Amino acid sequence: MLSQTILTLFLGLAYLSQQVESVGFAEELYCGLENCYDVLEIDRGEFDKQKLSKLYRTAAKKHHPDREVKAEAEKKFRLIATAYETLKDDEVREEYNYYLDHPEERFYNYYQYYRRRAAPKVDLRLVILGTIAAISVFQYWSAKSKYAEALSYALTVGKFRNQAIAEGVQRGKKVASTPKFPFRGGYKRESIYDTLIWQCIVLPLNTYHYIIWYIKWTMKYTVRREEYDEEAKLYLIRKHMGMGENQFNCLSDAEHYEFLDEELWVKANYDEWKKLKDQEEREKLAKSGKYKRYKRWLKNNEGSTISFLDEED
């Protein structure tokens, strides 16, 4: 009876020992059955990343294959290199520390280890640069295509065709090969200065200029409450209209003077002016033969737009 109890106890202890070993180091992960800190003779509690490279070189030199039995030295050398690669990266070291502290979470530790090994080693900076470059190329060629579309349509309209001929005559040519029409918005001529990559390049300079301008504006018109000069008035008018600087500058001087005469930098004046202009535009379109032709053109061209043309009555 006693011998049977002893045998049962022995088998139980053997089983428990096997279970404890099963949640220890995994041979396939990190430094295998050894502790990466011990491999480099580092105290985990006193880990100093600045000293890691020196300790690695010392250990690698000590166990170099040229100094010891080659087969054993190569194995040890690879182990030292693995320990160094594990501990030098902050994120990998953090995952390894979790692995040491939670050996029972075997599946999670396997996942973390192989997830990082399988992840592509790509420099995020190159990915961002490539994305910006691709977007910029697309922007440029898209603008080029839209401008060509606008130019092609404009040359089919008598008014714009005559304008091209007049421009060519003025230049001493029979017909202008590349007439410059005042296309605006999404149909203006392509330019590298409108691409994302250029905007990223000049962003620091533009930010600096904006900060300086904003400080001067605040001091002049908010703190000292000076009267707006013409440039400030035009800026406020453009802001009310929701137009970009380039688009606003495409307007004629006569239009700018009209805005100033109407005192549109005052928001209440602008709202009243905008309401009247919208009403006039609706009445004008209702009577316009051009608008009717425009609607027919839209219908025949599946919803395309010719709003890029700067027509004059």
Side-chain angles (χ1 to χ4, degrees):
M1 187 69 177
L2 181 60
S3 60
Q4 185 176 1
T5 302
I6 294 174
L7 179 60
T8 302
L9 181 61
F10 177 77
L11 292 175
L13 291 173
Y15 174 79
L16 290 175
S17 176
Q18 184 178 5
Q19 292 301 308
V20 171
E21 291 180 356
S22 68
V23 296
F25 290 129
E27 189 172 357
E28 303 87 355
L29 306 183
Y30 302 105
C31 295
L33 301 180
E34 295 193 45
N35 188 312
C36 292
Y37 290 99
D38 294 340
V39 170
L40 296 177
E41 299 181 358
I42 299 175
D43 186 344
R44 177 183 171 184
E46 299 178 0
F47 178 79
D48 187 349
K49 189 175 181 179
Q50 295 181 348
K51 298 180 180 179
L52 181 62
S53 297
K54 182 178 180 181
L55 293 171
Y56 165 68
R57 290 193 297 269
T58 300
K61 183 177 180 180
K62 179 179 179 181
H63 298 283
H64 195 276
D66 294 340
R67 292 177 172 268
E68 300 181 359
V69 178
K70 190 170 183 179
E72 296 181 1
E74 287 181 351
K75 182 177 179 180
K76 184 67 174 179
F77 193 79
R78 285 196 299 269
L79 182 61
I80 292 171
T82 300
Y84 175 69
E85 292 295 326
T86 300
L87 300 180
K88 76 173 184 177
D89 186 278
D90 293 338
E91 293 184 3
V92 177
R93 187 173 68 255
E94 184 177 347
E95 293 172 2
Y96 180 67
N97 289 338
Y98 187 90
Y99 163 73
L100 294 178
D101 297 333
H102 303 86
E104 71 282 357
E105 298 184 21
R106 181 57 57 89
F107 290 110
Y108 176 78
N109 291 325
Y110 267 92
Y111 165 76
Q112 288 290 78
Y113 178 78
Y114 286 106
R115 176 188 63 83
R116 187 169 295 279
R117 286 177 63 89
K121 301 295 188 292
V122 179
D123 192 333
L124 183 59
R125 293 169 296 182
L126 295 179
V127 174
I128 295 175
L129 180 61
T131 302
I132 293 176
I135 293 174
S136 300
V137 170
F138 175 79
Q139 287 177 317
Y140 186 85
W141 285 108
S142 177
K144 187 179 181 67
S145 175
K146 288 183 177 180
Y147 179 80
E149 177 187 344
L151 185 61
S152 177
Y153 174 79
L155 292 176
T156 65
V157 180
K159 172 184 175 180
F160 296 102
R161 177 68 180 174
N162 294 335
Q163 180 180 338
I165 295 174
E167 182 183 343
V169 171
Q170 187 177 1
R171 295 182 182 181
K173 300 179 181 179
K174 185 176 181 181
V175 178
S177 56
T178 55
K180 296 182 179 180
F181 295 118
F183 300 149
R184 290 178 281 180
Y187 290 89
K188 68 178 182 178
R189 194 177 188 89
E190 72 280 357
S191 171
I192 192 175
Y193 301 115
D194 295 325
T195 60
L196 178 61
I197 193 168
W198 179 259
Q199 297 303 318
C200 290
I201 292 173
V202 299
L203 178 61
L205 182 60
N206 288 343
T207 302
Y208 169 77
H209 286 161
Y210 175 78
I211 292 173
I212 298 300
W213 170 87
Y214 184 78
I215 292 174
K216 289 181 178 179
W217 177 281
T218 303
M219 292 298 298
K220 188 174 183 179
Y221 300 118
T222 303
V223 178
R224 295 198 295 265
R225 297 185 178 278
E226 297 182 14
E227 291 188 6
Y228 295 122
D229 56 23
E230 183 175 303
E231 183 180 353
K233 292 175 181 178
L234 289 175
Y235 167 75
L236 291 173
I237 294 170
R238 176 169 64 84
K239 185 178 179 182
H240 294 331
M241 292 182 169
M243 300 175 66
E245 183 176 0
N246 292 334
Q247 186 180 8
F248 188 77
N249 290 339
C250 285
L251 300 178
S252 65
D253 291 339
E255 290 176 293
H256 289 169
Y257 290 138
E258 178 189 349
F259 300 155
L260 293 172
D261 290 340
E262 297 287 344
E263 298 185 358
L264 299 186
W265 65 88
V266 180
K267 189 64 167 63
N269 294 344
Y270 171 77
D271 292 339
E272 184 64 26
W273 176 87
K274 183 69 166 58
K275 186 184 299 184
L276 293 175
K277 284 293 182 180
D278 290 343
Q279 180 63 29
E280 291 176 5
E281 187 67 21
R282 285 193 294 268
E283 294 175 357
K284 180 180 177 181
L285 290 176
K287 301 175 182 179
S288 172
K290 291 181 179 179
Y291 180 68
K292 293 176 182 178
R293 293 196 299 272
Y294 168 72
K295 295 293 288 185
R296 287 197 298 271
W297 186 88
L298 284 181
K299 183 177 180 181
N300 295 333
N301 290 271
E302 300 180 355
S304 299
T305 178
I306 56 173
S307 59
F308 49 79
L309 294 177
D310 186 21
E311 296 195 27
E312 298 177 359
D313 292 333

